[in-house]
Amino acid sequence: AQRVTQPEKLLSVFKGAPVELKCNYSYSGSPELFWYVQYSRQRLQLLLRHISRESIKGFTADLNKGETSFHQKKPFAQEEDSAMYYCALTPRGGSNYKLTFGKGTLLTVNP
Amino acid sequence: NAGVTQTPKFQVLKTGQSMTLQCAQDMNHEYMSWYRQDPGMGLRLIHYSVGAGITDQGEVPNGYNVSRSTTEDFPLRLLSAAPSQTSVYFCASSRGTTSYEQYFGPGTRLTVT
């Protein structure tokens, strides 16, 4: 069985400060990992996926298989980054309609 | 395109009542899923479908039924609502493989008293 752990329920930073959202996973095979974001009063949307290695809204994430982590970082946080962030996993070769989500981290960026 | 739509947005039920949460997508996606979102629990998969006529259980299927008669629609039925089913319900659709994004609906907030 797979599991996704986001160790911080709440994270608060000041505008312009670096931010790191942590995600650890447990899965015996090769995973596909994603970051989803939910802004206030908006629907959940995909932010990052590790297979594409793209940077969205200044966020980047690296899959570290040795540490079984998929932390995402942004060097300079903006107030509009305030949102709930979810890390999610599916087995490689599986499908993204059966995602296992972490419990989420609520990021607040203070002015 | 409207994307993924869900109705109703809000619903209050009494224990034992039944209802159907509606979900529709206009992107011709084969794959659709239902999740529930609870505080401190993240999102958990209830049921999913890989095409019309094909459904399967997710992590927390008890108390819920689904069917998929068309590609567009994937309703979620609560046969006898319980307070433990108070939650926010999200429907999602995708093309299925991991290289494609899963698109979420706006959610239905359900309260069971």
Side-chain angles (χ1 to χ4, degrees), chain A residues 41-88:
Chain A
R41 289 185 290 277
Q42 294 188 28
R43 63 186 70 192
L44 208 66
Q45 57 188 283
L46 179 66
L47 183 63
L48 291 169
R49 47 194 161 204
H50 92 272
I51 55 172
S52 64
R53 301 186 64 81
E54 57 195 341
S55 172
I56 303 293
K57 298 187 178 183
F59 283 98
T60 58
D62 287 311
L63 177 61
N64 186 322
K65 292 185 179 180
E67 296 182 358
T68 59
S69 68
F70 188 54
H71 305 330
Q72 68 164 329
K73 302 176 184 180
K74 185 170 182 177
F76 307 104
Q78 302 300 314
E79 290 181 67
E80 55 265 31
D81 296 327
S82 296
M84 179 68 85
Y85 291 82
Y86 291 100
C87 184

Side-chain angles (χ1 to χ4, degrees), chain A residues 38 43 86 95-97 99 103, chain B residues 33 37 40 94 96 100 102:
Chain A
Q38 188 176 28
R43 63 186 70 192
Y86 291 100
S95 296
N96 63 7
Y97 52 85
L99 292 170
K103 295 182 179 181
Chain B
S33 309
Q37 182 186 42
S94 72
Y100 291 106
Q102 192 168 39

Side-chain angles (χ1 to χ4, degrees), chain B residues 55-90:
Chain B
T55 64
D56 207 345
Q57 297 180 350
E59 179 186 354
V60 289
N62 293 341
Y64 307 96
N65 280 351
V66 292
S67 60
R68 183 105 177 267
S69 57
T70 67
T71 299
E72 294 78 19
D73 301 299
F74 189 42
L76 179 72
R77 296 184 188 84
L78 285 71
L79 298 179
S80 179
S84 61
Q85 294 178 303
T86 293
S87 186
V88 180
Y89 291 85
F90 289 98

Side-chain angles (χ1 to χ4, degrees), chain A residues 1-5 24-33 63 65 67-69 89-95 98 100:
Chain A
Q2 57 255 32
R3 186 163 59 190
V4 176
T5 303
N24 295 96
Y25 67 89
S26 172
Y27 179 61
S28 57
S30 293
E32 300 282 3
L33 285 144
L63 177 61
K65 292 185 179 180
E67 296 182 358
T68 59
S69 68
L89 174 153
T90 192
R92 182 170 293 181
S95 296
K98 292 194 294 180
T100 297

Side-chain angles (χ1 to χ4, degrees), chain B residues 99-111:
Chain B
S99 61
Y100 291 106
E101 179 175 351
Q102 192 168 39
Y103 292 87
F104 283 80
T108 294
R109 185 174 294 274
L110 175 68
T111 302

